[in-house]
Amino acid sequence: MPVNRNALIRYRTIDKCLQNRRRKWTIEDLIDACNEALYEYEGMHTSISMRTIRLDLNAMRSDSLGYNAPIIVKDKKFYTYEDAEYSIANSPLTTQDLGILQEVSHLLRQFKGFSHFNEVSEMVNKLEDKIYSEQHQQASVIDFEKNDLLTGIEWLDILYKAIVNKTTLLLTYQSFKARQAADIIFYPYLLKEYRNRWFILGMKKQGKEIITFALDRIQNITAQDKELFVQHKKFEPHTYFNDIIGVTRNYAEQPTTILFWASALHAPYIKTKPIHASQKIVEEVKGGSHFTIAVIPNFEMERELFGFGEGIKILSPNNIVRQIKRKMRLMQELYLD
């Protein structure tokens, strides 16, 4: 049974409502929620009829969509899920769904070799793994990196729409160093994921430089429709991260060529998975290899290099060597105290 976009928005909205057991949902409440969702996502002002919502509830209960949702009515008035853990998002894919996903997967595979395909290849791998596990009724054969305890991802959709629609935001944000949260007028430009943690890049009101906020430190977001959105004239998302590891960019510094030695044990790993795109092999030496990277030094770079422990030694420049030595002394004091 084909499902159009508006119906899918209604199903997902009803699903979110029925999962919220802190509130009792009448059919009028569900109508209002669906009307709000369709206005938010589609800009539709038309009111949904009670008959449409009743048909939606029956469709979700049935096997026609593959949901078989355990929707019940309490006190002849309030709708809820009989199973408190149920969600249509957890429903297994139908045969029709699998057929469509296979067609999409095969279509995307035809573009392999084009430069743009590199950006979606992991997505296709995830899609094919999902299809395989559903068809064979067994566990996935690919385990992608994930963080089930990740916080802040509830802001992703709001921030994405704000970037697309060029909406000024009021962020309530508290960094790890701050004693209390602060309200910040913010112009969002780019969402960035690094090591399963999400960040938003943008500019403060009356600011000049690009700043980065971690989504897991955001406490609240409010759209500021009356505030003019200001675009940073020099911000280039496609090149912003070229000279750094991670997400922290120190504007006062320029890319520095860092020379380091890697032991024979660690060098093969560094060769096959470069620390940075600028990495070069300088020479093979006794007991290991010499490499260089050209980056703007930051916290993530230090953490990356420290992660190899005794397998890496920074050789130059001197200021970076001194900084590493100082931190090693602090580590030694920490462990020997």
Side-chain angles (χ1 to χ4, degrees):
M1 175 178 160
V3 179
N4 62 41
R5 178 177 172 81
N6 291 345
L8 190 58
I9 291 172
R10 297 199 304 271
Y11 298 150
R12 289 179 175 175
T13 303
I14 293 171
D15 180 58
K16 287 182 180 179
C17 292
L18 300 188
Q19 285 183 77
N20 181 4
R21 305 176 79 84
R22 291 175 294 180
R23 175 177 172 181
K24 294 183 176 181
W25 297 92
T26 65
I27 195 162
E28 290 80 11
D29 295 329
L30 297 177
I31 291 172
D32 291 340
C34 289
N35 281 330
E36 291 176 7
L38 286 171
Y39 176 73
E40 179 182 355
Y41 290 103
E42 300 293 295
M44 294 178 58
H45 293 275
T46 56
S47 180
I48 301 168
S49 67
M50 185 176 292
R51 180 176 179 274
T52 297
I53 297 299
R54 290 192 186 281
L55 290 173
D56 288 344
L57 290 166
N58 290 334
M60 292 172 68
R61 285 189 181 108
S62 73
D63 190 43
S64 60
L65 299 172
Y67 294 154
N68 295 302
I71 300 173
I72 59 173
V73 183
K74 290 188 174 181
D75 301 327
K76 298 181 180 181
K77 186 176 183 181
F78 302 109
Y79 290 81
T80 188
Y81 283 140
E82 187 174 18
D83 180 0
E85 302 298 321
Y86 179 84
S87 169
I88 63 173
N90 300 327
S91 300
L93 295 172
T94 64
T95 303
Q96 183 184 15
D97 293 333
L98 289 171
I100 293 171
L101 288 177
Q102 280 185 316
E103 291 179 13
V104 172
S105 174
H106 292 157
L107 178 63
L108 289 172
R109 281 293 179 195
Q110 294 178 30
F111 291 94
K112 191 172 184 179
F114 287 89
S115 59
H116 298 296
F117 187 84
N118 295 331
E119 300 174 9
V120 297
S121 58
E122 183 177 330
M123 178 186 69
V124 176
N125 289 336
K126 290 182 180 180
L127 176 60
E128 290 182 339
D129 182 57
K130 178 66 174 176
I131 295 170
Y132 178 85
S133 62
E134 290 285 346
Q135 284 180 329
H136 295 82
Q137 295 297 303
Q138 67 178 47
S140 297
V141 296
I142 305 175
D143 186 19
F144 289 94
E145 186 178 4
K146 56 187 177 293
N147 182 355
D148 295 330
L149 300 178
L150 188 66
T151 60
I153 55 175
E154 66 271 20
W155 304 120
L156 276 175
D157 191 51
I158 295 172
L159 291 169
Y160 173 81
K161 291 175 183 175
I163 294 170
V164 172
N165 298 321
K166 292 182 169 50
T167 304
T168 302
L169 301 174
L170 176 66
L171 299 185
T172 303
Y173 188 84
Q174 183 175 5
S175 69
F176 288 118
K177 297 179 181 179
R179 293 184 177 180
Q180 59 185 20
D183 289 336
I184 302 162
I185 300 294
F186 185 71
Y187 313 119
Y189 303 142
L190 180 71
L191 282 163
K192 170 71 173 178
E193 183 189 19
Y194 178 67
R195 292 192 170 182
N196 280 317
R197 195 180 181 208
W198 282 94
F199 302 85
I200 181 71
L201 283 78
M203 184 173 66
K204 290 183 181 180
K205 183 179 181 180
Q206 297 177 342
K208 294 182 179 180
E209 296 181 352
I210 297 296
I211 55 175
T212 305
F213 290 137
L215 266 61
D216 54 22
R217 305 306 302 162
I218 297 176
Q219 296 183 2
N220 191 43
I221 300 177
T222 308
Q224 302 294 293
D225 296 323
K226 295 182 179 180
E227 280 277 355
L228 179 67
F229 185 88
V230 178
Q231 190 71 50
H232 193 286
K233 296 180 181 179
K234 296 183 180 180
F235 178 59
E236 293 290 343
H238 302 296
T239 59
Y240 183 82
F241 296 100
N242 285 0
D243 300 325
I244 61 174
I245 295 172
V247 297
T248 308
R249 187 182 183 97
N250 301 320
Y251 275 91
E253 299 189 41
Q254 295 297 316
T256 300
T257 298
I258 298 172
L259 174 66
F260 63 91
W261 168 87
S263 70
L265 178 63
H266 289 77
Y269 295 96
I270 296 170
K271 289 176 183 177
T272 54
K273 187 183 178 183
I275 293 174
H276 186 259
S278 64
Q279 178 175 300
K280 294 179 181 178
I281 302 174
V282 178
E283 61 178 336
E284 304 292 341
V285 296
K286 185 178 179 180
S289 304
H290 284 168
F291 296 87
T292 60
I293 54 174
V295 296
I296 296 174
N298 63 5
F299 170 75
E300 292 95 319
M301 181 208 73
E302 291 182 5
R303 186 172 62 177
E304 185 74 25
L305 295 177
F306 266 120
F308 288 93
E310 78 287 355
I312 275 184
K313 180 180 180 181
I314 309 299
L315 302 176
S316 69
N318 290 332
N319 63 321
I320 301 294
V321 173
R322 288 194 298 271
Q323 191 170 330
I324 296 295
K325 284 182 176 180
R326 182 181 65 83
K327 293 194 174 183
M328 288 184 66
R329 282 196 298 270
L330 293 173
M331 288 176 63
Q332 188 177 31
E333 290 173 7
L334 180 65
Y335 280 96
L336 297 182
D337 188 0

